Amino acid sequence: MAVLLRAKRASVVAKEKMKIEYVDVLKPQGTEVVVKISHAGVCHSDVHAFEHSSVYALYPFPQNPGHEILGTVFSIGPEANGADEELKEGTSVLVYPWISCDECDRCEQGWHNWCLSGKSRTIGGARAGECGYGEYVTVPHPKFLISSAGIEPELAVILPCCGLTSYSAVKESQSSKISCSDGVVVIIGTGGLGLMGIQWAKKISKQTVVGVDISDSALKIATDYGADFVVNSKNTPDVSAFIKSLDIKNKTVEAVIDFVNNVHTHKLANSLCVRGSNLVIVGIAGGAFETNLMMIPLRGVRIQGVFVGSIPDLKELVEICRGGGIRSIVTKRRPLAEIQDALADLQTGKIVGRSILVL
Ligand SMILES: [Zn+2]
Ligand SMILES: [Zn+2]
C-alpha cells in the first residue's frame, strides 16, 4: 500500500519502557481518514499498558496506548467524503477511540462501548496499532470523528475518555425512578473524572453536589470546580450523617457515583443510597462485595455500571462544552519526546488533574 509519509509514534516495548520510532503512515483507503494529532491526553489506563498490568498483561509488547486524541483532518480516503459532508482537510476533530465490531446492534446505534461481539479495535487499546501517542492516527470511518470547533483544545482533548466517562456516569445518575430532582448527588473520588463529574452534575442536574474523597487537597480543588459541599471520608466516616446535617431543603440522596469502586468506596456508596437511589459504578479498582439479596427489591436501588460512553453521548457533551461553563482539568503539558516521564509521573501520583502531550 502507498505510503503517505513517515511519522513518529511511541510504543511500550518492555515493562515501563517507551520507545519513539518512525512508522509508515499509509494513504487512507476506503472510508479511512488520517488525522494529524495536535494534543493527546495521558490517561490512567495508559499507565496499566506502561506497567503491563490489568488487561494489558494479556497482550504482548509492543503496545500503543493513547486514546484521548485531538487533531486536524489531514488526508481523506476516497469513500470517506460521501460519509460526512462536513469533513474537510484542516477541520479540527476529536477522535472517538472505543471502536468495536461496528456490525452488532449496539455498535450500529453508536454504543461501541457495549459491543456484543467483544471484538475491540480501540484506538490506543491493548494491541499494537493506531494510537494517540504519535504524530498521526488513521481512523477507519469519519463517524468516529467529532468536530471540536468552538472548544478550547485543552478541554477538547480530554473529552473522549475522561469527559465521556464522567458525563455518561452523571447522565445515568439522573435517570431516577422517582422525581426528587433537587435532592443530593454524591460523587466519590474527586480526582480527574470526579472533577469533570462535578461540573456535569452542576450543568445538567438541579441537585446539590457533595464531593467525597480521602485527600483534603483533592477536596479543595473539588470545591473550586463547583462541588456544593465536600467531606473527607477518612476523618468523617459517617458521610450519611454529614449529609443529613447540611442546611439544604432536600437531603434525599438521589444518586451516588463511585469513581473509585474499591471495597471501601463501594461499601460507602451502598450505605449512602436510600430507597430508589441510583448507584452508578465507574471505577475499576475492584474487589468483592457481599450483599443481602432480599434488600435489592426492598430498597429498589438501581445499580448501573458505566464503561466509557457512546458516540451519541460524546456528541451531546461536546455540544454542552460549546455552550461554555465547563473547565479543563489539564495541569501539565509535555512534548511527545517526554512520554516516558509523563507516564512515570502519573504512575507515581505526581499528576493532579490531567497531563497532556502537545505535538
Ligand atoms: Zn482513558
Ligand atoms: Zn459490536
Side-chain angles (χ1 to χ4, degrees):
M1 278 191 273
V3 175
L4 187 64
L5 50 86
R6 285 180 61 74
K8 284 182 209 157
R9 176 177 288 173
S11 309
V12 189
V13 291
K15 190 175 165 65
E16 296 174 11
K17 176 92 184 103
M18 300 300 294
K19 187 176 180 189
I20 297 173
E21 290 175 299
Y22 276 90
V23 295
D24 288 343
V25 178
L26 301 177
K27 257 187 101 167
Q29 307 291 303
T31 58
E32 288 177 346
V33 180
V34 176
V35 172
K36 186 176 196 300
I37 299 171
S38 62
H39 301 73
V42 183
C43 175
H44 211 275
S45 312
D46 299 333
V47 173
H48 291 302
F50 183 59
E51 295 173 336
H52 209 228
S53 62
S54 180
V55 67
Y56 299 88
L58 303 174
Y59 298 91
F61 297 118
Q63 293 186 11
N64 292 99
H67 52 264
E68 283 187 339
I69 305 170
L70 175 70
T72 50
V73 173
F74 183 76
S75 184
I76 301 168
E79 290 158 39
N81 254 329
D84 185 346
E85 288 171 14
E86 299 288 303
L87 196 70
K88 290 184 184 71
E89 283 171 14
T91 305
S92 180
V93 286
L94 46 90
V95 177
Y96 177 86
W98 317 108
I99 302 170
S100 291
C101 80
D102 208 20
E103 289 170 352
C104 72
D105 285 352
R106 296 280 193 277
C107 284
E108 276 192 3
Q109 292 170 47
W111 290 86
H112 281 252
N113 54 319
W114 298 135
C115 174
L116 301 171
S117 79
K119 287 182 201 156
S120 167
R121 294 185 290 154
T122 297
I123 293 176
R127 298 176 179 89
E130 298 299 329
C131 71
Y133 293 167
E135 294 175 313
Y136 293 84
V137 62
T138 299
V139 178
H141 195 282
K143 68 184 168 190
F144 302 117
L145 300 175
I146 295 163
S147 165
S148 65
I151 307 173
E152 55 131 345
E154 290 197 1
L155 175 59
V157 65
I158 61 167
L159 296 180
C161 178
C162 178
L164 179 58
T165 305
S166 52
Y167 178 73
S168 304
V170 171
K171 206 174 151 186
E172 288 295 347
S173 80
Q174 298 303 305
S175 49
S176 187
K177 292 186 282 295
I178 49 178
S179 55
C180 293
S181 64
D182 61 348
V184 172
V185 54
V186 180
I187 291 187
I188 298 178
T190 62
L193 283 169
L195 292 180
M196 291 306 290
I198 288 165
Q199 296 189 83
W200 302 128
K202 292 302 292 179
K203 199 80 178 171
I204 68 171
S205 87
K206 296 192 189 90
Q207 292 167 358
T208 300
V209 178
V210 176
V212 181
D213 206 290
I214 52 172
S215 153
D216 283 335
S217 56
L219 290 170
K220 195 163 173 285
I221 301 169
T223 303
D224 184 44
Y225 273 76
D228 297 300
F229 300 94
V230 293
V231 56
N232 186 323
S233 57
K234 202 158 67 177
N235 308 333
T236 310
D238 194 345
V239 177
S240 193
F242 170 83
I243 292 169
K244 287 190 184 109
S245 75
L246 296 175
D247 185 18
I248 50 175
K249 204 174 94 199
N250 186 347
K251 299 173 189 180
T252 306
V253 175
E254 279 298 315
V256 181
I257 306 173
D258 186 356
F259 282 112
V260 182
N261 191 31
N262 63 26
V263 173
H264 304 291
T265 61
H266 182 74
K267 193 174 170 195
L268 172 63
N270 197 45
S271 73
L272 293 175
C273 287
V274 297
R275 300 184 82 180
S277 298
N278 283 326
L279 171 52
V280 183
I281 300 178
V282 187
I284 50 170
F289 184 77
E290 199 167 283
T291 195
N292 181 338
L293 295 175
M294 186 185 73
M295 295 310 287
I296 294 176
L298 292 187
R299 293 174 80 210
V301 172
R302 175 179 173 271
I303 300 174
Q304 174 69 50
V306 163
F307 175 68
V308 294
S310 67
I311 296 173
D313 278 351
L314 184 54
K315 287 182 175 166
E316 251 177 55
L317 71 92
V318 161
E319 225 24 72
I320 292 173
C321 288
R322 281 202 185 105
I326 301 290
R327 285 160 59 195
S328 172
I329 56 162
V330 170
T331 51
K332 181 107 184 154
R333 300 127 194 108
R334 290 176 184 272
L336 178 63
E338 293 179 15
I339 183 60
Q340 173 86 28
D341 294 338
L343 288 163
D345 279 359
L346 188 57
Q347 182 187 31
T348 50
K350 290 187 189 133
I351 300 297
V352 178
R354 202 118 176 127
S355 77
I356 56 169
L357 301 179
V358 181
L359 286 104

